Amino acid sequence: MSNSALVNYTCISPNSNNPRNTGIKKITNHNMAGNLSVETCGKIFASSARQASSNYGIGSDGRVGMYVEEKNRSWCSSSPSNDHQAVTIEVANDETGGDWHVSDKALAKLIDLCADICQRNGIDRLNYTGDTAGNLTMHCWFSATSCPGPYLKSKFPYIAEEVNKRLGGSGQAEAGVSIQKGDLVKIAPGAVYYNGAAIPSWVKNQSWYVKGNTYTVQQVKSDRVLLKEIYSWVPLSGVQAV
């Protein structure tokens, strides 16, 4: 396994498992919960007392730090299983609190880095599903944390779409990023969420006919859509445009 040529600064953390126990299959994006430089983030992870690390970090200026080589597992997501499979990336926040905003430079470099990771590790498509089934994951799915913060969470479908353009594919159909208010959609095959619970079989199998098995998007919010006919929220990944 190689490391990214995008790295500007290296400070290897002792907090890792060497080597990881499986190949790289996922990417997990985090926020730093502060406007840390890549050097400051590296110093924090350099302490064995910290018991934390990530493979990479991105500052608000767009510079990239490496703290754990890709061949090794970082201690980042509160999930050994996820971290053994994932390259983990910490991203600085240029605003503290609120939506924990991330700078345009940091977001652009995050997309560059994700595409680079995919290309070097044979990941053909970055698939954001809104849950752990996809290969673009969030810290908050494995631990009681708000990481990666509202702003970066809202950008996951966009990140997948932009990365997949560079990989020669599109993230739109699976991530639902092209769906807008007023569109007609179908429940996607294999969709597993319905208002935070399992989709009832009558919806999943579409045995309840509404507008010829289609539903009207009443509202799009972050990574989910409100379907007018059944007035229920469904993840973007759980619907398909007609």
Side-chain angles (χ1 to χ4, degrees):
M1 297 176 188
S2 61
N3 299 312
S4 179
L6 298 173
V7 171
N8 305 108
Y9 170 79
T10 300
C11 180
I12 298 301
S13 171
N15 306 320
S16 63
N17 292 96
N18 307 333
R20 60 173 76 233
N21 65 13
T22 187
I24 292 170
K25 306 170 186 176
K26 300 184 178 186
I27 296 174
T28 306
N29 295 330
H30 302 249
N31 73 334
M32 293 183 186
N35 197 5
L36 280 62
S37 68
V38 293
E39 289 84 2
T40 300
C41 188
K43 289 179 182 177
I44 292 172
F45 289 152
S47 170
S48 59
R50 186 73 178 185
Q51 294 286 289
S53 64
S54 65
N55 292 107
Y56 296 106
I58 301 175
S60 292
D61 56 3
R63 296 173 66 244
V64 178
M66 181 174 70
Y67 315 120
V68 175
E69 293 189 68
E70 287 188 29
K71 65 182 180 181
N72 299 326
R73 173 228 160 181
S74 67
W75 299 352
C76 203
S77 306
S78 308
S79 167
S81 176
N82 182 75
D83 285 345
H84 272 293
Q85 299 178 68
V87 174
T88 57
I89 307 170
E90 292 275 357
V91 186
N93 303 98
D94 63 352
E95 293 181 1
T96 302
D99 287 341
W100 295 98
H101 190 267
V102 166
S103 74
D104 291 345
K105 285 185 178 180
L107 182 61
K109 187 55 64 76
L110 177 59
I111 292 167
D112 290 342
L113 183 55
C114 287
D116 175 59
I117 291 164
C118 290
Q119 289 165 345
R120 287 183 295 101
N121 289 284
I123 299 174
D124 296 329
R125 180 185 179 85
L126 194 58
N127 182 18
Y128 175 66
T129 62
D131 58 24
T132 58
N135 60 5
L136 180 60
T137 57
M138 300 182 186
H139 189 181
C140 60
W141 295 342
F142 306 102
S143 178
T145 175
S146 61
C147 178
Y151 179 78
L152 199 53
K153 285 179 184 179
S154 73
K155 292 297 181 182
F156 270 53
Y158 170 73
I159 291 167
E161 179 186 19
E162 291 301 307
V163 169
N164 289 331
K165 286 178 182 177
R166 302 185 192 188
L167 298 178
S170 170
Q172 291 189 359
E174 213 156 346
V177 295
S178 64
I179 293 172
Q180 302 176 9
K181 180 179 179 180
D183 286 353
L184 293 180
V185 297
K186 290 183 177 181
I187 300 293
V192 292
Y193 286 97
Y194 174 87
N195 269 5
I199 293 180
S201 60
W202 55 266
V203 174
K204 191 157 49 176
N205 298 329
Q206 295 189 346
S207 59
W208 185 54
Y209 292 89
V210 178
K211 288 193 173 182
N213 286 356
T214 63
Y215 308 87
T216 306
V217 175
Q218 183 169 326
Q219 187 178 349
V220 179
K221 183 177 181 181
S222 185
D223 59 352
R224 59 191 188 275
V225 294
L226 180 65
L227 302 183
K228 180 179 179 181
E229 287 78 12
I230 54 177
Y231 201 72
S232 297
W233 289 98
V234 176
L236 281 166
S237 59
V239 297
Q240 293 178 331
V242 176

